[in-house]
Amino acid sequence: MLFRSNNASVTEFRPSVHGDVTHSRPVAIDFGTLAAPKVVVFYGSNDGVLRAVNGNRSAPIGTVAAGAELWGFMPPEFFGKLGRLRANSLRINFPYLIGSVAPKPYGMDGPVSVHQGSSETWLYAAMRRGGRMLYAFSVNNSDPTTV
């Protein structure tokens, strides 16, 4: 499931707008030039989403402003978490807290690696504690908003 933030409308804020990025190491790639940078930062989070964010200081990438999300990918393994997020039942179980109701979720919290070629960049994202899957994405070098 691919989410594109520039087409979505925001109607409410939730306490968990973004999952924690405890173990994922972000990877930043400049798809542009020194005069016209197109820095994209890729990282995973524990809400189950692998994200691509415009990492430029002020320049947009296409219509996406600096600091905004270009795209996000949620593997089908994490679709079951969506109901819990929608219902806003976000309490998690910590061994030292009484009354917590669910184990701490882990998502795309593994390493992110890349191989950059002349026309495309291959992005590899692992789940670490979130699962045993490894996903590969082909990112277009001339338009990193296209996966």
mmCIF file with all atom_site columns, all heavy atoms in Angstrom, residues 62-80:
data_model
loop_
_atom_site.group_PDB
_atom_site.id
_atom_site.type_symbol
_atom_site.label_atom_id
_atom_site.label_alt_id
_atom_site.label_comp_id
_atom_site.label_asym_id
_atom_site.label_entity_id
_atom_site.label_seq_id
_atom_site.pdbx_PDB_ins_code
_atom_site.Cartn_x
_atom_site.Cartn_y
_atom_site.Cartn_z
_atom_site.occupancy
_atom_site.B_iso_or_equiv
_atom_site.pdbx_formal_charge
_atom_site.auth_seq_id
_atom_site.auth_comp_id
_atom_site.auth_asym_id
_atom_site.auth_atom_id
_atom_site.pdbx_PDB_model_num
ATOM 1   N N   . GLY A 1 62 ? 9.553  18.645 -6.940 1.00 0.00 ? 62 GLY A N   1
ATOM 2   C CA  . GLY A 1 62 ? 8.257  18.664 -7.614 1.00 0.00 ? 62 GLY A CA  1
ATOM 3   C C   . GLY A 1 62 ? 7.321  19.612 -6.867 1.00 0.00 ? 62 GLY A C   1
ATOM 4   O O   . GLY A 1 62 ? 7.643  20.777 -6.672 1.00 0.00 ? 62 GLY A O   1
ATOM 5   N N   . THR A 1 63 ? 6.211  19.103 -6.393 1.00 0.00 ? 63 THR A N   1
ATOM 6   C CA  . THR A 1 63 ? 5.256  19.935 -5.637 1.00 0.00 ? 63 THR A CA  1
ATOM 7   C C   . THR A 1 63 ? 5.356  19.697 -4.137 1.00 0.00 ? 63 THR A C   1
ATOM 8   O O   . THR A 1 63 ? 4.584  20.270 -3.372 1.00 0.00 ? 63 THR A O   1
ATOM 9   C CB  . THR A 1 63 ? 3.818  19.623 -6.085 1.00 0.00 ? 63 THR A CB  1
ATOM 10  O OG1 . THR A 1 63 ? 3.550  18.238 -5.844 1.00 0.00 ? 63 THR A OG1 1
ATOM 11  C CG2 . THR A 1 63 ? 3.614  19.946 -7.552 1.00 0.00 ? 63 THR A CG2 1
ATOM 12  N N   . VAL A 1 64 ? 6.317  18.876 -3.707 1.00 0.00 ? 64 VAL A N   1
ATOM 13  C CA  . VAL A 1 64 ? 6.441  18.530 -2.291 1.00 0.00 ? 64 VAL A CA  1
ATOM 14  C C   . VAL A 1 64 ? 7.443  19.465 -1.614 1.00 0.00 ? 64 VAL A C   1
ATOM 15  O O   . VAL A 1 64 ? 8.602  19.554 -2.016 1.00 0.00 ? 64 VAL A O   1
ATOM 16  C CB  . VAL A 1 64 ? 6.880  17.060 -2.122 1.00 0.00 ? 64 VAL A CB  1
ATOM 17  C CG1 . VAL A 1 64 ? 6.985  16.695 -0.655 1.00 0.00 ? 64 VAL A CG1 1
ATOM 18  C CG2 . VAL A 1 64 ? 5.908  16.135 -2.840 1.00 0.00 ? 64 VAL A CG2 1
ATOM 19  N N   . ALA A 1 65 ? 6.989  20.158 -0.584 1.00 0.00 ? 65 ALA A N   1
ATOM 20  C CA  . ALA A 1 65 ? 7.802  21.144 0.124  1.00 0.00 ? 65 ALA A CA  1
ATOM 21  C C   . ALA A 1 65 ? 8.935  20.470 0.894  1.00 0.00 ? 65 ALA A C   1
ATOM 22  O O   . ALA A 1 65 ? 8.872  19.277 1.219  1.00 0.00 ? 65 ALA A O   1
ATOM 23  C CB  . ALA A 1 65 ? 6.927  21.937 1.088  1.00 0.00 ? 65 ALA A CB  1
ATOM 24  N N   . ALA A 1 66 ? 9.948  21.255 1.222  1.00 0.00 ? 66 ALA A N   1
ATOM 25  C CA  . ALA A 1 66 ? 11.067 20.760 2.019  1.00 0.00 ? 66 ALA A CA  1
ATOM 26  C C   . ALA A 1 66 ? 10.552 20.251 3.359  1.00 0.00 ? 66 ALA A C   1
ATOM 27  O O   . ALA A 1 66 ? 9.729  20.883 4.004  1.00 0.00 ? 66 ALA A O   1
ATOM 28  C CB  . ALA A 1 66 ? 12.086 21.873 2.236  1.00 0.00 ? 66 ALA A CB  1
ATOM 29  N N   . GLY A 1 67 ? 11.025 19.069 3.742  1.00 0.00 ? 67 GLY A N   1
ATOM 30  C CA  . GLY A 1 67 ? 10.616 18.471 5.012  1.00 0.00 ? 67 GLY A CA  1
ATOM 31  C C   . GLY A 1 67 ? 9.357  17.635 4.943  1.00 0.00 ? 67 GLY A C   1
ATOM 32  O O   . GLY A 1 67 ? 9.026  16.927 5.885  1.00 0.00 ? 67 GLY A O   1
ATOM 33  N N   . ALA A 1 68 ? 8.644  17.685 3.824  1.00 0.00 ? 68 ALA A N   1
ATOM 34  C CA  . ALA A 1 68 ? 7.390  16.936 3.684  1.00 0.00 ? 68 ALA A CA  1
ATOM 35  C C   . ALA A 1 68 ? 7.656  15.538 3.126  1.00 0.00 ? 68 ALA A C   1
ATOM 36  O O   . ALA A 1 68 ? 8.677  15.281 2.501  1.00 0.00 ? 68 ALA A O   1
ATOM 37  C CB  . ALA A 1 68 ? 6.416  17.690 2.785  1.00 0.00 ? 68 ALA A CB  1
ATOM 38  N N   . GLU A 1 69 ? 6.710  14.651 3.356  1.00 0.00 ? 69 GLU A N   1
ATOM 39  C CA  . GLU A 1 69 ? 6.840  13.269 2.904  1.00 0.00 ? 69 GLU A CA  1
ATOM 40  C C   . GLU A 1 69 ? 6.543  13.153 1.412  1.00 0.00 ? 69 GLU A C   1
ATOM 41  O O   . GLU A 1 69 ? 5.525  13.627 0.934  1.00 0.00 ? 69 GLU A O   1
ATOM 42  C CB  . GLU A 1 69 ? 5.867  12.404 3.699  1.00 0.00 ? 69 GLU A CB  1
ATOM 43  C CG  . GLU A 1 69 ? 6.015  10.929 3.452  1.00 0.00 ? 69 GLU A CG  1
ATOM 44  C CD  . GLU A 1 69 ? 5.139  10.109 4.377  1.00 0.00 ? 69 GLU A CD  1
ATOM 45  O OE1 . GLU A 1 69 ? 5.547  9.867  5.525  1.00 0.00 ? 69 GLU A OE1 1
ATOM 46  O OE2 . GLU A 1 69 ? 4.040  9.733  3.941  1.00 0.00 ? 69 GLU A OE2 1
ATOM 47  N N   . LEU A 1 70 ? 7.451  12.497 0.680  1.00 0.00 ? 70 LEU A N   1
ATOM 48  C CA  . LEU A 1 70 ? 7.245  12.243 -0.748 1.00 0.00 ? 70 LEU A CA  1
ATOM 49  C C   . LEU A 1 70 ? 6.335  11.038 -0.945 1.00 0.00 ? 70 LEU A C   1
ATOM 50  O O   . LEU A 1 70 ? 5.412  11.061 -1.743 1.00 0.00 ? 70 LEU A O   1
ATOM 51  C CB  . LEU A 1 70 ? 8.578  11.975 -1.446 1.00 0.00 ? 70 LEU A CB  1
ATOM 52  C CG  . LEU A 1 70 ? 9.580  13.116 -1.469 1.00 0.00 ? 70 LEU A CG  1
ATOM 53  C CD1 . LEU A 1 70 ? 10.939 12.631 -1.923 1.00 0.00 ? 70 LEU A CD1 1
ATOM 54  C CD2 . LEU A 1 70 ? 9.080  14.214 -2.379 1.00 0.00 ? 70 LEU A CD2 1
ATOM 55  N N   . TRP A 1 71 ? 6.624  9.965  -0.214 1.00 0.00 ? 71 TRP A N   1
ATOM 56  C CA  . TRP A 1 71 ? 5.804  8.759  -0.274 1.00 0.00 ? 71 TRP A CA  1
ATOM 57  C C   . TRP A 1 71 ? 6.094  7.897  0.949  1.00 0.00 ? 71 TRP A C   1
ATOM 58  O O   . TRP A 1 71 ? 7.093  8.085  1.635  1.00 0.00 ? 71 TRP A O   1
ATOM 59  C CB  . TRP A 1 71 ? 6.009  7.971  -1.565 1.00 0.00 ? 71 TRP A CB  1
ATOM 60  C CG  . TRP A 1 71 ? 7.415  7.571  -1.893 1.00 0.00 ? 71 TRP A CG  1
ATOM 61  C CD1 . TRP A 1 71 ? 8.279  8.235  -2.715 1.00 0.00 ? 71 TRP A CD1 1
ATOM 62  C CD2 . TRP A 1 71 ? 8.134  6.422  -1.413 1.00 0.00 ? 71 TRP A CD2 1
ATOM 63  N NE1 . TRP A 1 71 ? 9.480  7.577  -2.776 1.00 0.00 ? 71 TRP A NE1 1
ATOM 64  C CE2 . TRP A 1 71 ? 9.423  6.446  -1.995 1.00 0.00 ? 71 TRP A CE2 1
ATOM 65  C CE3 . TRP A 1 71 ? 7.829  5.370  -0.568 1.00 0.00 ? 71 TRP A CE3 1
ATOM 66  C CZ2 . TRP A 1 71 ? 10.391 5.484  -1.742 1.00 0.00 ? 71 TRP A CZ2 1
ATOM 67  C CZ3 . TRP A 1 71 ? 8.789  4.408  -0.317 1.00 0.00 ? 71 TRP A CZ3 1
ATOM 68  C CH2 . TRP A 1 71 ? 10.043 4.472  -0.904 1.00 0.00 ? 71 TRP A CH2 1
ATOM 69  N N   . GLY A 1 72 ? 5.185  6.992  1.201  1.00 0.00 ? 72 GLY A N   1
ATOM 70  C CA  . GLY A 1 72 ? 5.355  6.035  2.286  1.00 0.00 ? 72 GLY A CA  1
ATOM 71  C C   . GLY A 1 72 ? 4.862  4.671  1.822  1.00 0.00 ? 72 GLY A C   1
ATOM 72  O O   . GLY A 1 72 ? 3.936  4.581  1.023  1.00 0.00 ? 72 GLY A O   1
ATOM 73  N N   . PHE A 1 73 ? 5.490  3.623  2.304  1.00 0.00 ? 73 PHE A N   1
ATOM 74  C CA  . PHE A 1 73 ? 5.106  2.263  1.946  1.00 0.00 ? 73 PHE A CA  1
ATOM 75  C C   . PHE A 1 73 ? 4.867  1.462  3.216  1.00 0.00 ? 73 PHE A C   1
ATOM 76  O O   . PHE A 1 73 ? 5.715  1.445  4.105  1.00 0.00 ? 73 PHE A O   1
ATOM 77  C CB  . PHE A 1 73 ? 6.202  1.592  1.117  1.00 0.00 ? 73 PHE A CB  1
ATOM 78  C CG  . PHE A 1 73 ? 5.979  0.118  0.917  1.00 0.00 ? 73 PHE A CG  1
ATOM 79  C CD1 . PHE A 1 73 ? 5.049  -0.335 -0.011 1.00 0.00 ? 73 PHE A CD1 1
ATOM 80  C CD2 . PHE A 1 73 ? 6.678  -0.812 1.668  1.00 0.00 ? 73 PHE A CD2 1
ATOM 81  C CE1 . PHE A 1 73 ? 4.831  -1.691 -0.184 1.00 0.00 ? 73 PHE A CE1 1
ATOM 82  C CE2 . PHE A 1 73 ? 6.469  -2.173 1.486  1.00 0.00 ? 73 PHE A CE2 1
ATOM 83  C CZ  . PHE A 1 73 ? 5.539  -2.616 0.567  1.00 0.00 ? 73 PHE A CZ  1
ATOM 84  N N   . MET A 1 74 ? 3.692  0.821  3.291  1.00 0.00 ? 74 MET A N   1
ATOM 85  C CA  . MET A 1 74 ? 3.399  -0.074 4.399  1.00 0.00 ? 74 MET A CA  1
ATOM 86  C C   . MET A 1 74 ? 3.264  -1.489 3.853  1.00 0.00 ? 74 MET A C   1
ATOM 87  O O   . MET A 1 74 ? 2.392  -1.754 3.031  1.00 0.00 ? 74 MET A O   1
ATOM 88  C CB  . MET A 1 74 ? 2.114  0.312  5.127  1.00 0.00 ? 74 MET A CB  1
ATOM 89  C CG  . MET A 1 74 ? 1.774  -0.665 6.254  1.00 0.00 ? 74 MET A CG  1
ATOM 90  S SD  . MET A 1 74 ? 0.299  -0.241 7.162  1.00 0.00 ? 74 MET A SD  1
ATOM 91  C CE  . MET A 1 74 ? 0.954  0.971  8.291  1.00 0.00 ? 74 MET A CE  1
ATOM 92  N N   . PRO A 1 75 ? 4.121  -2.412 4.303  1.00 0.00 ? 75 PRO A N   1
ATOM 93  C CA  . PRO A 1 75 ? 4.016  -3.799 3.841  1.00 0.00 ? 75 PRO A CA  1
ATOM 94  C C   . PRO A 1 75 ? 2.705  -4.430 4.313  1.00 0.00 ? 75 PRO A C   1
ATOM 95  O O   . PRO A 1 75 ? 2.169  -4.062 5.356  1.00 0.00 ? 75 PRO A O   1
ATOM 96  C CB  . PRO A 1 75 ? 5.202  -4.501 4.505  1.00 0.00 ? 75 PRO A CB  1
ATOM 97  C CG  . PRO A 1 75 ? 6.110  -3.417 4.949  1.00 0.00 ? 75 PRO A CG  1
ATOM 98  C CD  . PRO A 1 75 ? 5.262  -2.222 5.183  1.00 0.00 ? 75 PRO A CD  1
ATOM 99  N N   . PRO A 1 76 ? 2.198  -5.394 3.565  1.00 0.00 ? 76 PRO A N   1
ATOM 100 C CA  . PRO A 1 76 ? 0.934  -6.032 3.955  1.00 0.00 ? 76 PRO A CA  1
ATOM 101 C C   . PRO A 1 76 ? 1.002  -6.713 5.313  1.00 0.00 ? 76 PRO A C   1
ATOM 102 O O   . PRO A 1 76 ? -0.027 -6.876 5.959  1.00 0.00 ? 76 PRO A O   1
ATOM 103 C CB  . PRO A 1 76 ? 0.680  -7.060 2.849  1.00 0.00 ? 76 PRO A CB  1
ATOM 104 C CG  . PRO A 1 76 ? 1.832  -7.019 1.937  1.00 0.00 ? 76 PRO A CG  1
ATOM 105 C CD  . PRO A 1 76 ? 2.722  -5.895 2.309  1.00 0.00 ? 76 PRO A CD  1
ATOM 106 N N   . GLU A 1 77 ? 2.202  -7.052 5.782  1.00 0.00 ? 77 GLU A N   1
ATOM 107 C CA  . GLU A 1 77 ? 2.344  -7.671 7.101  1.00 0.00 ? 77 GLU A CA  1
ATOM 108 C C   . GLU A 1 77 ? 1.832  -6.768 8.218  1.00 0.00 ? 77 GLU A C   1
ATOM 109 O O   . GLU A 1 77 ? 1.503  -7.237 9.299  1.00 0.00 ? 77 GLU A O   1
ATOM 110 C CB  . GLU A 1 77 ? 3.814  -8.015 7.394  1.00 0.00 ? 77 GLU A CB  1
ATOM 111 C CG  . GLU A 1 77 ? 4.386  -9.109 6.543  1.00 0.00 ? 77 GLU A CG  1
ATOM 112 C CD  . GLU A 1 77 ? 4.920  -8.616 5.208  1.00 0.00 ? 77 GLU A CD  1
ATOM 113 O OE1 . GLU A 1 77 ? 4.767  -7.426 4.883  1.00 0.00 ? 77 GLU A OE1 1
ATOM 114 O OE2 . GLU A 1 77 ? 5.467  -9.439 4.471  1.00 0.00 ? 77 GLU A OE2 1
ATOM 115 N N   . PHE A 1 78 ? 1.773  -5.465 7.975  1.00 0.00 ? 78 PHE A N   1
ATOM 116 C CA  . PHE A 1 78 ? 1.387  -4.515 9.018  1.00 0.00 ? 78 PHE A CA  1
ATOM 117 C C   . PHE A 1 78 ? -0.031 -3.981 8.866  1.00 0.00 ? 78 PHE A C   1
ATOM 118 O O   . PHE A 1 78 ? -0.446 -3.106 9.614  1.00 0.00 ? 78 PHE A O   1
ATOM 119 C CB  . PHE A 1 78 ? 2.377  -3.345 9.062  1.00 0.00 ? 78 PHE A CB  1
ATOM 120 C CG  . PHE A 1 78 ? 3.781  -3.780 9.318  1.00 0.00 ? 78 PHE A CG  1
ATOM 121 C CD1 . PHE A 1 78 ? 4.803  -3.370 8.494  1.00 0.00 ? 78 PHE A CD1 1
ATOM 122 C CD2 . PHE A 1 78 ? 4.086  -4.625 10.375 1.00 0.00 ? 78 PHE A CD2 1
ATOM 123 C CE1 . PHE A 1 78 ? 6.102  -3.774 8.719  1.00 0.00 ? 78 PHE A CE1 1
ATOM 124 C CE2 . PHE A 1 78 ? 5.380  -5.040 10.603 1.00 0.00 ? 78 PHE A CE2 1
ATOM 125 C CZ  . PHE A 1 78 ? 6.385  -4.612 9.770  1.00 0.00 ? 78 PHE A CZ  1
ATOM 126 N N   . PHE A 1 79 ? -0.783 -4.469 7.895  1.00 0.00 ? 79 PHE A N   1
ATOM 127 C CA  . PHE A 1 79 ? -2.149 -3.982 7.711  1.00 0.00 ? 79 PHE A CA  1
ATOM 128 C C   . PHE A 1 79 ? -2.994 -4.194 8.960  1.00 0.00 ? 79 PHE A C   1
ATOM 129 O O   . PHE A 1 79 ? -3.895 -3.423 9.249  1.00 0.00 ? 79 PHE A O   1
ATOM 130 C CB  . PHE A 1 79 ? -2.818 -4.648 6.518  1.00 0.00 ? 79 PHE A CB  1
ATOM 131 C CG  . PHE A 1 79 ? -2.291 -4.196 5.174  1.00 0.00 ? 79 PHE A CG  1
ATOM 132 C CD1 . PHE A 1 79 ? -2.716 -4.809 4.029  1.00 0.00 ? 79 PHE A CD1 1
ATOM 133 C CD2 . PHE A 1 79 ? -1.378 -3.163 5.056  1.00 0.00 ? 79 PHE A CD2 1
ATOM 134 C CE1 . PHE A 1 79 ? -2.255 -4.399 2.779  1.00 0.00 ? 79 PHE A CE1 1
ATOM 135 C CE2 . PHE A 1 79 ? -0.897 -2.752 3.834  1.00 0.00 ? 79 PHE A CE2 1
ATOM 136 C CZ  . PHE A 1 79 ? -1.331 -3.378 2.694  1.00 0.00 ? 79 PHE A CZ  1
ATOM 137 N N   . GLY A 1 80 ? -2.718 -5.244 9.728  1.00 0.00 ? 80 GLY A N   1
ATOM 138 C CA  . GLY A 1 80 ? -3.465 -5.509 10.953 1.00 0.00 ? 80 GLY A CA  1
ATOM 139 C C   . GLY A 1 80 ? -3.318 -4.426 11.999 1.00 0.00 ? 80 GLY A C   1
ATOM 140 O O   . GLY A 1 80 ? -4.173 -4.273 12.867 1.00 0.00 ? 80 GLY A O   1
#
